[in-house]
Amino acid sequence: MLTLSHVTKQYTVGNSTVEAIRDIGFTVADGEFICIVGPSGAGKTTLLRCMCGLLRCTSGSIRLNGTEVCGPPRQLACVFQEYSRSLMPWLTVEHNVGLPLKNKVPSRAERGRRVRSALAQVGLDGFGKRYPWQLSGGMQQRVAIARALAYEPEILLLDEPFASVDAQTRADLEDLVLRVHVTSGITMVLVTHDIDEAVYLADRVVALSARPSTVLETIDVPLPRPRDQIATKADPRFAELRTQVLGLIRRPDTAPGADADLHPVGGAK
């Protein structure tokens, strides 16, 4: 469904060129759940923004169903880390969820059906008339996920969506996303700095190096589904996979230069 080929992204900062990601390539199959991990500052969010068309890559290509991504595709939805910034505080929950449907679904009745269905999927039945500021952080992130689901995308990109909530809420939201993945069949790509989370959720984990980021390795996760916070994480294979991924991104010889963002491309340190 999604193909990245030799994707590089550079920024101009003053008189210097900063390279965030370098020659990245991998594919995402229809219905697959991919997690992208890497060290802090590795350019994971930059990569995701290129994938969803919010940034243009400097070179290489990103294709969704064979069509090059040159702007936000209509088949794609995103959930971002800062749920408090992505929700409109003056709109009710149901109006926040229905916001992206106004230009896509002409029928008001169909928009209402989609909103109710999405809220039910994330366990927020009965909260449609509330405002975001009346909800907990975890519930606000559920609203953001419901908004993406109401859009009925073919692929859902999630940028560290659980980073701002407590550990118990994080586990609940992980399981929520897994249930949605199974029931809806939506292809998912999730960026996270949490190795345990990546192994728990993914069919495959894409491990990135330090900046400028390259793909170190793509690791299959053959853990059985459905997954469980206790049983899955007690499986010896979970620990093996976690150790494998962590070892990859912490190997000093695989880091192209963690401080490369401070220096011009090709320049001396």
Side-chain angles (χ1 to χ4, degrees), residues 184-235:
S184 67
I186 297 174
T187 305
M188 293 189 178
V189 179
L190 184 144
V191 163
T192 180
H193 64 273
D194 190 306
I195 304 301
D196 287 23
E197 182 171 271
V199 174
Y200 180 65
L201 295 174
D203 295 312
R204 288 187 296 139
V205 175
V206 178
L208 301 182
S209 70
R211 184 180 289 189
S213 294
T214 61
V215 175
L216 297 175
E217 191 173 329
T218 301
I219 298 130
D220 291 327
V221 182
L223 297 171
R225 295 185 184 273
R227 293 180 184 170
D228 177 84
Q229 291 284 349
I230 297 175
T232 299
K233 292 181 178 179
D235 189 322

Side-chain angles (χ1 to χ4, degrees), residues 130-190:
R130 303 279 186 92
Y131 289 88
W133 47 268
Q134 295 176 311
L135 306 179
S136 68
M139 294 173 77
Q140 289 183 55
Q141 191 61 299
R142 286 173 183 255
V143 175
I145 294 170
R147 182 172 57 193
L149 296 178
Y151 190 73
E152 296 185 357
E154 295 178 24
I155 183 167
L156 178 60
L157 306 185
L158 304 104
D159 184 13
E160 300 200 39
F162 317 133
S164 301
V165 298
D166 61 84
Q168 182 58 57
T169 302
R170 186 180 195 124
D172 292 341
L173 289 172
E174 288 171 355
D175 288 338
L176 165 66
V177 167
L178 282 180
R179 287 196 302 272
V180 169
H181 176 64
V182 170
T183 57
S184 67
I186 297 174
T187 305
M188 293 189 178
V189 179
L190 184 144

Side-chain angles (χ1 to χ4, degrees), residues 1-3 61-70 73 75:
M1 173 174 283
L2 189 68
T3 303
S61 67
I62 300 173
R63 293 184 177 275
L64 179 62
N65 292 325
T67 300
E68 187 164 5
V69 175
C70 298
Q75 312 98 303

Side-chain angles (χ1 to χ4, degrees), residues 8-49:
T8 295
K9 178 61 180 177
Q10 298 174 349
Y11 297 98
T12 300
V13 180
N15 295 322
S16 301
T17 300
V18 175
E19 189 172 34
I21 54 178
R22 176 190 296 168
D23 198 31
I24 285 182
F26 60 88
T27 60
V28 181
D30 186 17
E32 201 170 21
F33 200 134
I34 297 292
C35 284
I36 300 172
V37 299
S40 179
K44 300 184 293 295
T45 294
T46 296
L47 176 60
L48 195 81
R49 288 176 178 172

